Amino acid sequence: MKLVLAIINNDDTPIVTAQLTKAGFYMTKIASTGGFLTAGNTTFMSGVDDDKVDELIGIISKFSKKRLQPTV
């Protein structure tokens, strides 16, 4: 069993939550703000069997977008 922590942008939270639930994963979500950008995030915590870790990470990667922050 592994504990997976994933921090994603708030904009991606609904779709990631829906896809993880659809795939049968259970998670705890915590609203978070962090880093020097102080952007709104959601921290997902999920305990999964060792053989399901890659599937969980794959879903999160597929349904969350990479973003670039403009420099000042």
Side-chain angles (χ1 to χ4, degrees):
M1 173 105 14
K2 302 286 186 201
L3 174 63
V4 176
L5 297 174
I7 302 169
I8 65 165
N9 188 283
N10 279 343
D11 295 341
D12 298 327
T13 298
I15 188 68
V16 171
T17 301
Q19 293 300 318
L20 289 174
T21 302
K22 181 178 174 182
F25 290 103
Y26 298 99
M27 77 233 61
T28 298
K29 297 185 304 184
I30 301 170
S32 57
T33 304
F36 63 95
L37 300 174
T38 63
N41 301 307
T42 300
T43 301
F44 284 87
M45 297 187 302
S46 186
V48 296
D49 291 328
D50 293 354
D51 61 336
K52 296 285 189 176
V53 172
D54 290 337
E55 181 183 357
L56 177 99
I57 292 172
I59 292 170
I60 293 169
S61 296
K62 182 177 180 179
F63 293 100
S64 56
K65 299 177 185 118
K66 185 181 264 189
R67 291 172 173 78
L68 296 176
Q69 188 71 20
T71 57
V72 180

